[in-house]
């Protein structure tokens, strides 16, 4: 593994952890939340710089269904992240308070919907690229039977966590934030911050899993269709 790949993994992991922390804004001081948000945006820029080759290849090659979906997710994630930082500046009470901007109400609503969609799209983005981490895991030298056992244990764990993530999604009424169905969210201020973060992680795993297996299914269908075409030609 090259140094660049290691840096990419560290940046992506840091972004993910920061987002989990930012999702529990009601449990951390406003100033801390704002600085964490700025750190996330800096890492987001670093992530895009490290993946500049994706931009270079944007108008090259053919676009199949999988590539179209990935490009759309990336584009939407870029848009909502930019809107997220703009809305953060609009409602800042600490870091950017000196700017004394107007439109706090609009900024608060924009921040609510963009942060929720950023969370979903970042999770989906990770899921669409999760095959890379699976491939790394397959390179670990273990007996075949051990690998098979680990694979099925992980599948059961992911399934269980995903079911719990769906329950958390419903309990938190997270859909209200996604579609701006409410102006104010009711948070549980008594819940332990670490537990809340784990619950948020379980929601993220739902979107990661759906994206990962949807892409896997799409690639499998593509492979089957290609084999059928080859058989027809033969």
């Amino acid at each position: 593994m090259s140094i660049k790949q290691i840096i990419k993994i560290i940046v992506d992991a840091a972004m993910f952890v920061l987002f989990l922390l930012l999702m529990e804004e009601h449990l951390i001081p406003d100033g801390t939340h704002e600085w964490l948000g700025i750190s996330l945006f800096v890492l987001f820029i670093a992530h895009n710089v490290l993946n500049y080759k994706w931009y270079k290849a944007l108008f090259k090659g053919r676009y199949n269904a999988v590539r179209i979906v990935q490009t759309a997710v990336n584009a939407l994630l870029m848009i909502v992240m930019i809107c997220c930082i703009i809305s953060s500046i609009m409602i800042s009470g600490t870091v950017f308070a000196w700017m004394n901007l107007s439109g706090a109400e609009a900024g608060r609503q924009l921040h609510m919907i963009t942060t929720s969609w950023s969370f979903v799209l970042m999770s989906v983005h990770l899921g669409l690229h999760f095959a890379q981490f699976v491939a790394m895991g397959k390179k670990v030298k273990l007996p075949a039977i051990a690998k098979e056992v680990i694979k099925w244990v992980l599948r059961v764990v992911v399934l269980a966590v995903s079911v719990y993530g769906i329950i958390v999604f419903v309990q938190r009424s997270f859909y209200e934030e996604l579609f701006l169905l409410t102006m104010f969210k009711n948070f549980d201020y008594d819940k332990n911050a670490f537990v809340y973060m784990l619950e948020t992680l379980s929601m993220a795993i739902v979107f990661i899993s759906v994206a990962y297996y949807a892409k896997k299914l799409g690639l499998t269908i593509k492979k089957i269709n290609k084999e059928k075409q080859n058989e027809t030609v033969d």
Side-chain angles (χ1 to χ4, degrees), residues 137-196:
K138 289 180 179 179
K139 292 180 181 179
V140 178
K141 294 183 179 180
L142 288 172
I145 184 65
K147 284 189 175 182
E148 191 67 19
V149 170
I150 292 173
K151 180 177 70 174
W152 281 102
V153 168
L154 288 175
R155 284 178 175 175
V156 172
V157 170
V158 169
L159 177 60
V161 173
S162 296
V163 170
Y164 182 65
I166 294 172
I167 294 172
V168 173
F169 182 91
V170 175
Q171 287 180 340
R172 289 192 191 176
S173 300
F174 193 67
Y175 51 86
E176 292 182 345
E177 297 169 56
L178 289 172
F179 302 105
L180 204 62
L181 299 177
T182 182
M183 297 296 104
F184 298 96
K185 288 294 293 184
N186 294 318
F187 295 109
D188 184 357
Y189 291 89
D190 296 324
K191 181 161 287 188
N192 180 275
F194 183 69
V195 172
Y196 193 89

Short mmCIF file of all heavy atoms in Angstrom, two decimals, residues 137-196:
data_model
loop_
_atom_site.label_atom_id
_atom_site.label_comp_id
_atom_site.label_asym_id
_atom_site.label_seq_id
_atom_site.Cartn_x
_atom_site.Cartn_y
_atom_site.Cartn_z
N GLY A 137 -9.27 -6.73 2.75
CA GLY A 137 -9.49 -7.77 3.75
C GLY A 137 -9.23 -9.16 3.20
O GLY A 137 -8.72 -10.03 3.92
N LYS A 138 -9.54 -9.36 1.93
CA LYS A 138 -9.32 -10.67 1.30
C LYS A 138 -7.84 -11.01 1.15
O LYS A 138 -7.48 -12.18 1.02
CB LYS A 138 -10.01 -10.71 -0.07
CG LYS A 138 -11.53 -10.73 -0.01
CD LYS A 138 -12.14 -10.78 -1.40
CE LYS A 138 -13.66 -10.83 -1.33
NZ LYS A 138 -14.27 -10.85 -2.69
N LYS A 139 -7.00 -9.98 1.17
CA LYS A 139 -5.56 -10.20 1.02
C LYS A 139 -4.89 -10.68 2.30
O LYS A 139 -3.75 -11.13 2.29
CB LYS A 139 -4.89 -8.91 0.54
CG LYS A 139 -5.27 -8.51 -0.88
CD LYS A 139 -4.57 -7.23 -1.30
CE LYS A 139 -4.98 -6.82 -2.72
NZ LYS A 139 -4.32 -5.54 -3.12
N VAL A 140 -5.62 -10.56 3.42
CA VAL A 140 -5.08 -11.04 4.70
C VAL A 140 -4.92 -12.56 4.65
O VAL A 140 -5.84 -13.28 4.27
CB VAL A 140 -6.01 -10.65 5.86
CG1 VAL A 140 -5.46 -11.19 7.18
CG2 VAL A 140 -6.14 -9.13 5.93
N LYS A 141 -3.74 -13.02 5.03
CA LYS A 141 -3.45 -14.45 4.95
C LYS A 141 -4.04 -15.20 6.14
O LYS A 141 -3.56 -15.08 7.27
CB LYS A 141 -1.93 -14.66 4.89
CG LYS A 141 -1.29 -14.13 3.60
CD LYS A 141 0.19 -14.42 3.56
CE LYS A 141 0.81 -13.90 2.26
NZ LYS A 141 2.28 -14.16 2.20
N LEU A 142 -5.10 -15.94 5.85
CA LEU A 142 -5.77 -16.77 6.84
C LEU A 142 -6.23 -18.06 6.17
O LEU A 142 -6.41 -18.09 4.94
CB LEU A 142 -6.98 -16.04 7.43
CG LEU A 142 -6.73 -14.88 8.39
CD1 LEU A 142 -8.05 -14.19 8.71
CD2 LEU A 142 -6.06 -15.35 9.68
N PRO A 143 -6.44 -19.12 6.93
CA PRO A 143 -6.98 -20.36 6.34
C PRO A 143 -8.34 -20.08 5.69
O PRO A 143 -9.10 -19.23 6.16
CB PRO A 143 -7.13 -21.28 7.56
CG PRO A 143 -6.13 -20.78 8.54
CD PRO A 143 -6.11 -19.29 8.36
N ALA A 144 -8.63 -20.80 4.62
CA ALA A 144 -9.88 -20.59 3.88
C ALA A 144 -11.11 -20.71 4.77
O ALA A 144 -12.05 -19.92 4.66
CB ALA A 144 -9.96 -21.59 2.73
N ILE A 145 -11.11 -21.69 5.68
CA ILE A 145 -12.25 -21.90 6.56
C ILE A 145 -12.43 -20.71 7.51
O ILE A 145 -13.55 -20.29 7.80
CB ILE A 145 -12.09 -23.21 7.38
CG1 ILE A 145 -13.34 -23.47 8.22
CG2 ILE A 145 -10.84 -23.16 8.23
CD1 ILE A 145 -14.58 -23.74 7.41
N ALA A 146 -11.30 -20.15 7.97
CA ALA A 146 -11.36 -19.00 8.88
C ALA A 146 -11.94 -17.79 8.17
O ALA A 146 -12.76 -17.05 8.73
CB ALA A 146 -9.97 -18.67 9.41
N LYS A 147 -11.52 -17.59 6.92
CA LYS A 147 -12.04 -16.47 6.12
C LYS A 147 -13.54 -16.61 5.90
O LYS A 147 -14.29 -15.64 5.94
CB LYS A 147 -11.32 -16.40 4.78
CG LYS A 147 -9.93 -15.82 4.84
CD LYS A 147 -9.37 -15.59 3.45
CE LYS A 147 -8.02 -14.89 3.50
NZ LYS A 147 -7.49 -14.60 2.15
N GLU A 148 -13.98 -17.86 5.65
CA GLU A 148 -15.40 -18.11 5.40
C GLU A 148 -16.23 -17.82 6.67
O GLU A 148 -17.31 -17.21 6.59
CB GLU A 148 -15.60 -19.56 4.97
CG GLU A 148 -16.99 -19.86 4.42
CD GLU A 148 -17.28 -19.16 3.10
OE1 GLU A 148 -16.34 -18.72 2.42
OE2 GLU A 148 -18.48 -19.07 2.75
N VAL A 149 -15.72 -18.24 7.82
CA VAL A 149 -16.41 -18.01 9.08
C VAL A 149 -16.50 -16.52 9.37
O VAL A 149 -17.57 -16.00 9.74
CB VAL A 149 -15.69 -18.73 10.25
CG1 VAL A 149 -16.29 -18.30 11.59
CG2 VAL A 149 -15.80 -20.23 10.09
N ILE A 150 -15.37 -15.82 9.21
CA ILE A 150 -15.33 -14.37 9.46
C ILE A 150 -16.31 -13.65 8.53
O ILE A 150 -17.01 -12.73 8.95
CB ILE A 150 -13.90 -13.83 9.26
CG1 ILE A 150 -12.98 -14.36 10.36
CG2 ILE A 150 -13.89 -12.30 9.26
CD1 ILE A 150 -11.52 -14.03 10.15
N LYS A 151 -16.35 -14.07 7.27
CA LYS A 151 -17.23 -13.44 6.29
C LYS A 151 -18.69 -13.54 6.72
O LYS A 151 -19.42 -12.53 6.68
CB LYS A 151 -17.05 -14.10 4.91
CG LYS A 151 -17.94 -13.50 3.82
CD LYS A 151 -17.65 -14.13 2.46
CE LYS A 151 -18.14 -15.57 2.41
NZ LYS A 151 -17.98 -16.14 1.03
N TRP A 152 -19.11 -14.72 7.16
CA TRP A 152 -20.51 -14.90 7.54
C TRP A 152 -20.83 -14.23 8.88
O TRP A 152 -21.94 -13.71 9.07
CB TRP A 152 -20.86 -16.39 7.58
CG TRP A 152 -21.11 -16.92 6.20
CD1 TRP A 152 -20.27 -17.66 5.43
CD2 TRP A 152 -22.28 -16.70 5.42
NE1 TRP A 152 -20.83 -17.91 4.22
CE2 TRP A 152 -22.07 -17.34 4.18
CE3 TRP A 152 -23.48 -16.02 5.64
CZ2 TRP A 152 -23.02 -17.33 3.16
CZ3 TRP A 152 -24.43 -16.00 4.63
CH2 TRP A 152 -24.20 -16.65 3.41
N VAL A 153 -19.87 -14.21 9.79
CA VAL A 153 -20.07 -13.51 11.06
C VAL A 153 -20.27 -12.02 10.81
O VAL A 153 -21.17 -11.39 11.37
CB VAL A 153 -18.86 -13.73 12.01
CG1 VAL A 153 -18.95 -12.77 13.20
CG2 VAL A 153 -18.81 -15.17 12.50
N LEU A 154 -19.43 -11.45 9.93
CA LEU A 154 -19.54 -10.04 9.59
C LEU A 154 -20.88 -9.73 8.92
O LEU A 154 -21.49 -8.69 9.18
CB LEU A 154 -18.39 -9.61 8.68
CG LEU A 154 -17.00 -9.52 9.35
CD1 LEU A 154 -15.94 -9.20 8.31
CD2 LEU A 154 -17.01 -8.46 10.44
N ARG A 155 -21.34 -10.62 8.06
CA ARG A 155 -22.63 -10.43 7.39
C ARG A 155 -23.77 -10.39 8.40
O ARG A 155 -24.67 -9.56 8.31
CB ARG A 155 -22.86 -11.55 6.37
CG ARG A 155 -22.04 -11.40 5.09
CD ARG A 155 -22.29 -12.57 4.15
NE ARG A 155 -21.59 -12.38 2.88
CZ ARG A 155 -21.55 -13.28 1.90
NH1 ARG A 155 -22.17 -14.46 2.07
NH2 ARG A 155 -20.91 -13.03 0.78
N VAL A 156 -23.73 -11.31 9.37
CA VAL A 156 -24.77 -11.36 10.40
C VAL A 156 -24.72 -10.09 11.25
O VAL A 156 -25.77 -9.50 11.56
CB VAL A 156 -24.60 -12.60 11.29
CG1 VAL A 156 -25.55 -12.54 12.48
CG2 VAL A 156 -24.84 -13.88 10.48
N VAL A 157 -23.51 -9.66 11.60
CA VAL A 157 -23.34 -8.44 12.42
C VAL A 157 -23.87 -7.22 11.67
O VAL A 157 -24.60 -6.40 12.25
CB VAL A 157 -21.86 -8.24 12.80
CG1 VAL A 157 -21.66 -6.86 13.43
CG2 VAL A 157 -21.39 -9.33 13.75
N VAL A 158 -23.49 -7.11 10.40
CA VAL A 158 -23.94 -5.97 9.59
C VAL A 158 -25.46 -5.96 9.46
O VAL A 158 -26.10 -4.91 9.54
CB VAL A 158 -23.29 -5.99 8.20
CG1 VAL A 158 -23.95 -4.97 7.26
CG2 VAL A 158 -21.80 -5.69 8.30
N LEU A 159 -26.04 -7.14 9.28
CA LEU A 159 -27.49 -7.24 9.17
C LEU A 159 -28.16 -6.79 10.47
O LEU A 159 -29.13 -6.01 10.44
CB LEU A 159 -27.90 -8.68 8.84
CG LEU A 159 -29.41 -8.95 8.75
CD1 LEU A 159 -30.05 -8.09 7.67
CD2 LEU A 159 -29.68 -10.43 8.49
N ALA A 160 -27.64 -7.26 11.59
CA ALA A 160 -28.21 -6.92 12.89
C ALA A 160 -28.09 -5.41 13.16
O ALA A 160 -29.05 -4.77 13.60
CB ALA A 160 -27.51 -7.71 14.00
N VAL A 161 -26.91 -4.86 12.86
CA VAL A 161 -26.68 -3.43 13.08
C VAL A 161 -27.57 -2.60 12.16
O VAL A 161 -28.10 -1.55 12.55
CB VAL A 161 -25.20 -3.07 12.86
CG1 VAL A 161 -24.99 -1.55 12.92
CG2 VAL A 161 -24.32 -3.75 13.90
N SER A 162 -27.75 -3.07 10.92
CA SER A 162 -28.60 -2.35 9.97
C SER A 162 -30.05 -2.32 10.42
O SER A 162 -30.73 -1.30 10.29
CB SER A 162 -28.49 -3.01 8.58
OG SER A 162 -27.18 -2.90 8.07
N VAL A 163 -30.53 -3.44 10.96
CA VAL A 163 -31.90 -3.49 11.48
C VAL A 163 -32.05 -2.48 12.61
O VAL A 163 -33.03 -1.73 12.67
CB VAL A 163 -32.25 -4.91 11.98
CG1 VAL A 163 -33.58 -4.88 12.73
CG2 VAL A 163 -32.32 -5.88 10.81
N TYR A 164 -31.04 -2.44 13.48
CA TYR A 164 -31.07 -1.48 14.59
C TYR A 164 -31.00 -0.05 14.05
O TYR A 164 -31.65 0.86 14.56
CB TYR A 164 -29.91 -1.74 15.54
CG TYR A 164 -29.91 -0.80 16.73
CD1 TYR A 164 -30.93 -0.84 17.68
CD2 TYR A 164 -28.89 0.13 16.90
CE1 TYR A 164 -30.94 0.02 18.77
CE2 TYR A 164 -28.89 1.00 17.98
CZ TYR A 164 -29.91 0.94 18.91
OH TYR A 164 -29.93 1.80 19.98
N GLY A 165 -30.20 0.14 12.99
CA GLY A 165 -30.08 1.46 12.37
C GLY A 165 -31.39 1.96 11.82
O GLY A 165 -31.70 3.16 11.91
N ILE A 166 -32.17 1.06 11.26
CA ILE A 166 -33.50 1.42 10.75
C ILE A 166 -34.41 1.85 11.90
O ILE A 166 -35.18 2.81 11.78
CB ILE A 166 -34.12 0.24 9.97
CG1 ILE A 166 -33.30 -0.04 8.70
CG2 ILE A 166 -35.58 0.55 9.60
CD1 ILE A 166 -33.72 -1.30 7.97
N ILE A 167 -34.31 1.13 13.02
CA ILE A 167 -35.10 1.47 14.20
C ILE A 167 -34.73 2.87 14.70
O ILE A 167 -35.60 3.69 15.02
CB ILE A 167 -34.89 0.43 15.32
CG1 ILE A 167 -35.45 -0.93 14.90
CG2 ILE A 167 -35.55 0.89 16.63
CD1 ILE A 167 -35.13 -2.07 15.85
N VAL A 168 -33.42 3.15 14.76
CA VAL A 168 -32.93 4.47 15.19
C VAL A 168 -33.43 5.55 14.23
O VAL A 168 -33.86 6.63 14.65
CB VAL A 168 -31.39 4.50 15.26
CG1 VAL A 168 -30.89 5.92 15.54
CG2 VAL A 168 -30.89 3.54 16.33
N PHE A 169 -33.37 5.26 12.93
CA PHE A 169 -33.83 6.19 11.89
C PHE A 169 -35.29 6.60 12.14
O PHE A 169 -35.64 7.77 12.07
CB PHE A 169 -33.69 5.54 10.52
CG PHE A 169 -34.09 6.42 9.37
CD1 PHE A 169 -33.16 7.23 8.73
CD2 PHE A 169 -35.41 6.44 8.91
CE1 PHE A 169 -33.53 8.04 7.66
CE2 PHE A 169 -35.78 7.24 7.86
CZ PHE A 169 -34.84 8.05 7.22
N VAL A 170 -36.11 5.60 12.47
CA VAL A 170 -37.53 5.85 12.71
C VAL A 170 -37.73 6.57 14.05
O VAL A 170 -38.51 7.53 14.15
CB VAL A 170 -38.33 4.53 12.70
CG1 VAL A 170 -39.78 4.78 13.09
CG2 VAL A 170 -38.25 3.88 11.32
N GLN A 171 -37.03 6.11 15.09
CA GLN A 171 -37.18 6.73 16.42
C GLN A 171 -36.77 8.20 16.40
O GLN A 171 -37.39 9.03 17.07
CB GLN A 171 -36.33 5.96 17.43
CG GLN A 171 -36.90 4.61 17.82
CD GLN A 171 -36.03 3.89 18.82
OE1 GLN A 171 -34.84 4.17 18.99
NE2 GLN A 171 -36.61 2.92 19.52
N ARG A 172 -35.73 8.52 15.66
CA ARG A 172 -35.27 9.91 15.59
C ARG A 172 -36.07 10.75 14.59
O ARG A 172 -35.89 11.95 14.51
CB ARG A 172 -33.79 9.96 15.18
CG ARG A 172 -32.82 9.48 16.22
CD ARG A 172 -31.40 9.86 15.81
NE ARG A 172 -30.40 9.22 16.63
CZ ARG A 172 -29.10 9.32 16.42
NH1 ARG A 172 -28.65 10.06 15.41
NH2 ARG A 172 -28.23 8.72 17.21
N SER A 173 -36.93 10.07 13.83
CA SER A 173 -37.69 10.75 12.77
C SER A 173 -36.72 11.49 11.84
O SER A 173 -36.91 12.66 11.50
CB SER A 173 -38.70 11.74 13.37
OG SER A 173 -39.61 11.08 14.20
N PHE A 174 -35.67 10.79 11.47
CA PHE A 174 -34.61 11.41 10.67
C PHE A 174 -35.12 11.90 9.32
O PHE A 174 -34.58 12.82 8.73
CB PHE A 174 -33.47 10.41 10.46
CG PHE A 174 -32.21 11.02 9.92
CD1 PHE A 174 -31.47 11.92 10.69
CD2 PHE A 174 -31.75 10.70 8.66
CE1 PHE A 174 -30.30 12.49 10.19
CE2 PHE A 174 -30.59 11.27 8.15
CZ PHE A 174 -29.85 12.17 8.93
N TYR A 175 -36.19 11.29 8.83
CA TYR A 175 -36.79 11.70 7.57
C TYR A 175 -37.31 13.13 7.64
O TYR A 175 -37.42 13.80 6.61
CB TYR A 175 -37.92 10.73 7.18
CG TYR A 175 -38.92 10.50 8.29
CD1 TYR A 175 -40.01 11.36 8.49
CD2 TYR A 175 -38.77 9.41 9.16
CE1 TYR A 175 -40.91 11.15 9.51
CE2 TYR A 175 -39.67 9.21 10.20
CZ TYR A 175 -40.74 10.08 10.37
OH TYR A 175 -41.63 9.87 11.39
N GLU A 176 -37.64 13.60 8.85
CA GLU A 176 -38.11 14.98 9.00
C GLU A 176 -37.02 15.97 8.63
O GLU A 176 -37.28 17.02 8.03
CB GLU A 176 -38.57 15.22 10.44
CG GLU A 176 -39.82 14.46 10.83
CD GLU A 176 -40.26 14.77 12.25
OE1 GLU A 176 -39.45 15.34 13.02
OE2 GLU A 176 -41.41 14.43 12.59
N GLU A 177 -35.78 15.63 8.96
CA GLU A 177 -34.66 16.50 8.62
C GLU A 177 -34.34 16.42 7.12
O GLU A 177 -34.03 17.43 6.49
CB GLU A 177 -33.42 16.10 9.43
CG GLU A 177 -33.60 16.25 10.93
CD GLU A 177 -32.49 15.61 11.71
OE1 GLU A 177 -31.32 15.96 11.47
OE2 GLU A 177 -32.77 14.75 12.56
N LEU A 178 -34.43 15.23 6.57
CA LEU A 178 -34.11 15.03 5.15
C LEU A 178 -35.05 15.83 4.24
O LEU A 178 -34.62 16.34 3.20
CB LEU A 178 -34.19 13.55 4.79
CG LEU A 178 -33.08 12.65 5.35
CD1 LEU A 178 -33.40 11.19 5.08
CD2 LEU A 178 -31.73 13.01 4.74
N PHE A 179 -36.30 15.91 4.63
CA PHE A 179 -37.30 16.57 3.79
C PHE A 179 -37.87 17.84 4.43
O PHE A 179 -38.90 18.34 3.99
CB PHE A 179 -38.41 15.59 3.44
CG PHE A 179 -37.91 14.36 2.74
CD1 PHE A 179 -37.81 13.14 3.41
CD2 PHE A 179 -37.49 14.43 1.41
CE1 PHE A 179 -37.32 12.01 2.77
CE2 PHE A 179 -37.01 13.30 0.77
CZ PHE A 179 -36.91 12.09 1.44
N LEU A 180 -37.17 18.32 5.46
CA LEU A 180 -37.53 19.56 6.14
C LEU A 180 -39.01 19.57 6.53
O LEU A 180 -39.75 20.51 6.24
CB LEU A 180 -37.20 20.77 5.25
CG LEU A 180 -36.97 22.10 6.00
CD1 LEU A 180 -35.77 21.99 6.93
CD2 LEU A 180 -36.75 23.23 5.01
N LEU A 181 -39.41 18.50 7.19
CA LEU A 181 -40.80 18.38 7.63
C LEU A 181 -41.02 18.99 9.01
O LEU A 181 -42.14 18.98 9.52
CB LEU A 181 -41.21 16.89 7.65
CG LEU A 181 -41.12 16.17 6.30
CD1 LEU A 181 -41.47 14.70 6.47
CD2 LEU A 181 -42.05 16.82 5.28
N THR A 182 -39.95 19.48 9.60
CA THR A 182 -40.05 20.13 10.90
C THR A 182 -39.09 21.31 10.96
O THR A 182 -38.08 21.32 10.26
CB THR A 182 -39.70 19.14 12.04
OG1 THR A 182 -39.85 19.79 13.29
CG2 THR A 182 -38.28 18.62 11.91
N MET A 183 -39.41 22.28 11.76
CA MET A 183 -38.55 23.44 11.91
C MET A 183 -37.60 23.29 13.10
O MET A 183 -36.54 23.89 13.15
CB MET A 183 -39.40 24.71 12.11
CG MET A 183 -40.29 25.05 10.92
SD MET A 183 -39.33 25.48 9.42
CE MET A 183 -39.55 23.96 8.46
N PHE A 184 -38.01 22.44 14.07
CA PHE A 184 -37.20 22.23 15.26
C PHE A 184 -37.16 20.73 15.58
O PHE A 184 -38.18 20.04 15.49
CB PHE A 184 -37.78 22.99 16.46
CG PHE A 184 -37.80 24.49 16.27
CD1 PHE A 184 -38.95 25.11 15.81
CD2 PHE A 184 -36.67 25.25 16.53
CE1 PHE A 184 -38.98 26.49 15.63
CE2 PHE A 184 -36.69 26.62 16.35
CZ PHE A 184 -37.84 27.25 15.90
N LYS A 185 -36.00 20.25 15.97
CA LYS A 185 -35.84 18.85 16.34
C LYS A 185 -35.82 18.72 17.86
O LYS A 185 -35.25 19.54 18.57
CB LYS A 185 -34.53 18.29 15.79
CG LYS A 185 -34.55 18.09 14.29
CD LYS A 185 -35.55 17.01 13.87
CE LYS A 185 -35.17 15.65 14.34
NZ LYS A 185 -36.10 14.59 13.85
N ASN A 186 -36.49 17.68 18.35
CA ASN A 186 -36.47 17.38 19.77
C ASN A 186 -35.38 16.34 20.04
O ASN A 186 -35.46 15.21 19.58
CB ASN A 186 -37.84 16.82 20.22
CG ASN A 186 -38.93 17.87 20.11
OD1 ASN A 186 -38.73 19.02 20.47
ND2 ASN A 186 -40.09 17.45 19.63
N PHE A 187 -34.34 16.75 20.77
CA PHE A 187 -33.21 15.88 21.05
C PHE A 187 -33.28 15.33 22.47
O PHE A 187 -33.84 15.97 23.37
CB PHE A 187 -31.89 16.64 20.86
CG PHE A 187 -31.63 17.07 19.45
CD1 PHE A 187 -31.70 18.41 19.10
CD2 PHE A 187 -31.29 16.15 18.48
CE1 PHE A 187 -31.45 18.83 17.80
CE2 PHE A 187 -31.04 16.54 17.17
CZ PHE A 187 -31.11 17.88 16.83
N ASP A 188 -32.66 14.17 22.65
CA ASP A 188 -32.55 13.57 23.97
C ASP A 188 -31.22 14.04 24.59
O ASP A 188 -30.17 13.47 24.33
CB ASP A 188 -32.58 12.05 23.87
CG ASP A 188 -32.56 11.37 25.23
OD1 ASP A 188 -32.48 12.10 26.24
OD2 ASP A 188 -32.62 10.13 25.28
N TYR A 189 -31.29 15.07 25.42
CA TYR A 189 -30.08 15.65 26.00
C TYR A 189 -29.50 14.80 27.12
O TYR A 189 -28.37 15.03 27.56
CB TYR A 189 -30.38 17.06 26.54
CG TYR A 189 -30.64 18.07 25.44
CD1 TYR A 189 -31.93 18.27 24.95
CD2 TYR A 189 -29.61 18.81 24.89
CE1 TYR A 189 -32.18 19.18 23.92
CE2 TYR A 189 -29.84 19.72 23.87
CZ TYR A 189 -31.13 19.91 23.40
OH TYR A 189 -31.37 20.81 22.38
N ASP A 190 -30.25 13.81 27.57
CA ASP A 190 -29.77 12.96 28.66
C ASP A 190 -29.02 11.73 28.16
O ASP A 190 -28.39 11.03 28.95
CB ASP A 190 -30.96 12.50 29.53
CG ASP A 190 -31.64 13.67 30.21
OD1 ASP A 190 -30.92 14.60 30.59
OD2 ASP A 190 -32.89 13.64 30.34
N LYS A 191 -29.08 11.47 26.86
CA LYS A 191 -28.44 10.28 26.31
C LYS A 191 -26.92 10.45 26.30
O LYS A 191 -26.40 11.52 26.00
CB LYS A 191 -28.94 9.99 24.90
CG LYS A 191 -28.32 8.74 24.26
CD LYS A 191 -29.15 8.23 23.12
CE LYS A 191 -30.42 7.57 23.61
NZ LYS A 191 -31.17 6.88 22.55
N ASN A 192 -26.21 9.37 26.62
CA ASN A 192 -24.75 9.38 26.60
C ASN A 192 -24.24 9.68 25.20
O ASN A 192 -24.75 9.13 24.22
CB ASN A 192 -24.23 8.02 27.08
CG ASN A 192 -22.73 7.94 27.08
OD1 ASN A 192 -22.12 7.63 26.07
ND2 ASN A 192 -22.13 8.22 28.23
N ALA A 193 -23.24 10.56 25.08
CA ALA A 193 -22.73 10.99 23.77
C ALA A 193 -22.17 9.81 22.97
O ALA A 193 -22.36 9.73 21.75
CB ALA A 193 -21.65 12.06 23.96
N PHE A 194 -21.47 8.89 23.66
CA PHE A 194 -20.88 7.75 22.96
C PHE A 194 -21.97 6.83 22.42
O PHE A 194 -21.88 6.34 21.29
CB PHE A 194 -19.95 6.98 23.90
CG PHE A 194 -19.25 5.82 23.25
CD1 PHE A 194 -18.28 6.04 22.27
CD2 PHE A 194 -19.57 4.52 23.59
CE1 PHE A 194 -17.64 4.97 21.65
CE2 PHE A 194 -18.94 3.44 22.99
CZ PHE A 194 -17.96 3.67 22.02
N VAL A 195 -23.00 6.60 23.22
CA VAL A 195 -24.13 5.76 22.78
C VAL A 195 -24.83 6.40 21.59
O VAL A 195 -25.18 5.73 20.62
CB VAL A 195 -25.13 5.56 23.94
CG1 VAL A 195 -26.39 4.85 23.44
CG2 VAL A 195 -24.48 4.76 25.06
N TYR A 196 -25.02 7.72 21.67
CA TYR A 196 -25.67 8.44 20.57
C TYR A 196 -24.86 8.31 19.29
O TYR A 196 -25.42 8.14 18.20
CB TYR A 196 -25.83 9.92 20.94
CG TYR A 196 -26.77 10.68 20.03
CD1 TYR A 196 -28.13 10.75 20.31
CD2 TYR A 196 -26.29 11.32 18.89
CE1 TYR A 196 -29.00 11.45 19.48
CE2 TYR A 196 -27.15 12.02 18.04
CZ TYR A 196 -28.50 12.08 18.35
OH TYR A 196 -29.36 12.77 17.51
#
